[in-house]
Amino acid sequence: MKDAVAWKQVLNIIKNTGPGTLTVVSATSGTTNSLILAAETAKNGSLGQARELINAIRENHKEIVDSFTGGSREHKEVVDNCVAHIEKMMQLLDNYLLGIHTLGELTPRSLDAVSSIGERLSSFLLAECAKATGMDSVWADAAHFLKTDSQFGAAVPDMGAIFERSKKLIHYIDQGKFVVMGGFYGSDSQEVTTTLGRGGSDYSASIFGLAVNAEAIEIWTDVSGMYTSDPRFVQHAFSIREISFNEAAELAYFGAKVLHPATIQPAVEKDIPVYVKNTFESNHPGTRIFSDADSDSPVRAIAFKKDITVITVISSRMLLAWGFLAKVFAVFEKNKVSVDLVSTSEVSISMTVDKKARLDTIQKELEDIASVKIYYNQALISLVGKNMMKSKGVAASAFDALSDFPIRMISQGSSDINLSVVVENDHAVAAVQALHDRFFPEIATPEKP
Ligand code: ASP
Ligand code: MG
């Protein structure tokens, strides 16, 4: 959703998919980050700077509409509608920023109100631009359709309410309209704006794929599908043709950034295939995610996530005692921090967490129970593959490939499809490369003539 050229391409893709397509869009590139920065800047004292940031957003969107319509008289109505919407959103933003600045406080609720503006802009404008190209399009405001609970910043969809409201979307679809809706944001039962969390547009798309009973859910992004590893860092990483729901979910959760981790859940429910495709290379097959995708190799992909934290809790009282683990996890529950990986020994338990928020509090509370060690700057590497545990020697090969790297933690996911290790941040890329070369050797070492 970068610029007018990308918008034209997006509309081409939608047009080719055909009338009766529901499209969920994210904000234009960089907008959500700018909005968040503007909110933080306003809170920290500089309303002027915050206003400059939102002014750049205003100009950028006007520019997209202008170059899309080419300033032609013929599209005057579209341009007027767009400009009016942009100004309305800007007024709203200005009010929010003023409130945040005046109170010197930025609550998760306010942040959701501000960060939703990116999608509220892009979706309305794209629906209008679609009209300019002769498409019978209609804008659906996600605030009305994506009903959620009130956990700002990580709202949970209320599927009952969403199904009920989606009848209207189904009606539009049946009429053959092109429906355009913003991803990422919605509203709670009091109509207060909420968001699903960063990258949540994918999740919105699959929620509505389920709600309107779609034939397929297509995630159009800027890479050609899910890769065997992150191609920006790992040589010879390649796009995976097909992958099962479980594997894709595991990969997304453990570091593959292409998809929001929750995207798979709604699709699984009605067995709707999910395609991950490249907007800028629309003929590339990308990745097809479906229930019983087969695989010849034991390892399907190797994901990694840097900057995670390992927390180790050690207590001799844990020995033969019950309730110790419960006490440890209660601390995380109380602080609403999710734990990714767990491994235990007789007297200790190690866990990884992704976010640094509340770590100080968690550490203090854990120290009331036991002694605590925290290791920052760690990286989680996950081998994912549904045939991994059925095949012999995968763990042996993995650890052999990793023999040069000190390993802080090991966990074989109980899902049977995940083997994870934790290494130092600085070793992450080299370790993943070593694993990739080991498990995808035919590509790593091209045949000699
Ligand atoms: N615009 C939101 C974000 O940047 C949601 C998304 O793009 O999926 O996090
Ligand atoms: Mg995204």
Side-chain angles (χ1 to χ4, degrees), residues 25-40 53-54 57 60-61 93 111-112 114-122 183-185 195 197-201:
V25 295
S26 62
T28 56
S29 319
T31 300
T32 313
N33 286 341
S34 293
L35 287 165
I36 293 170
L37 184 62
E40 281 164 355
L53 284 163
I54 65 166
I57 294 175
N60 182 37
H61 284 80
L93 255 182
L111 190 61
D112 273 3
V114 171
S115 59
S116 72
I117 300 287
E119 274 74 6
R120 297 174 73 177
L121 278 168
S122 64
F184 178 57
Y185 77 98
T195 72
R198 294 307 306 272
S201 290

Side-chain angles (χ1 to χ4, degrees), residues 94-133:
D94 204 73
N95 293 347
Y96 292 154
L97 293 182
L98 191 59
I100 291 165
H101 174 74
T102 310
L103 297 170
E105 184 185 65
L106 177 58
T107 60
R109 174 174 162 157
S110 319
L111 190 61
D112 273 3
V114 171
S115 59
S116 72
I117 300 287
E119 274 74 6
R120 297 174 73 177
L121 278 168
S122 64
S123 56
F124 181 93
L125 303 186
L126 189 78
E128 285 295 319
C129 288
K131 285 180 194 157
T133 69

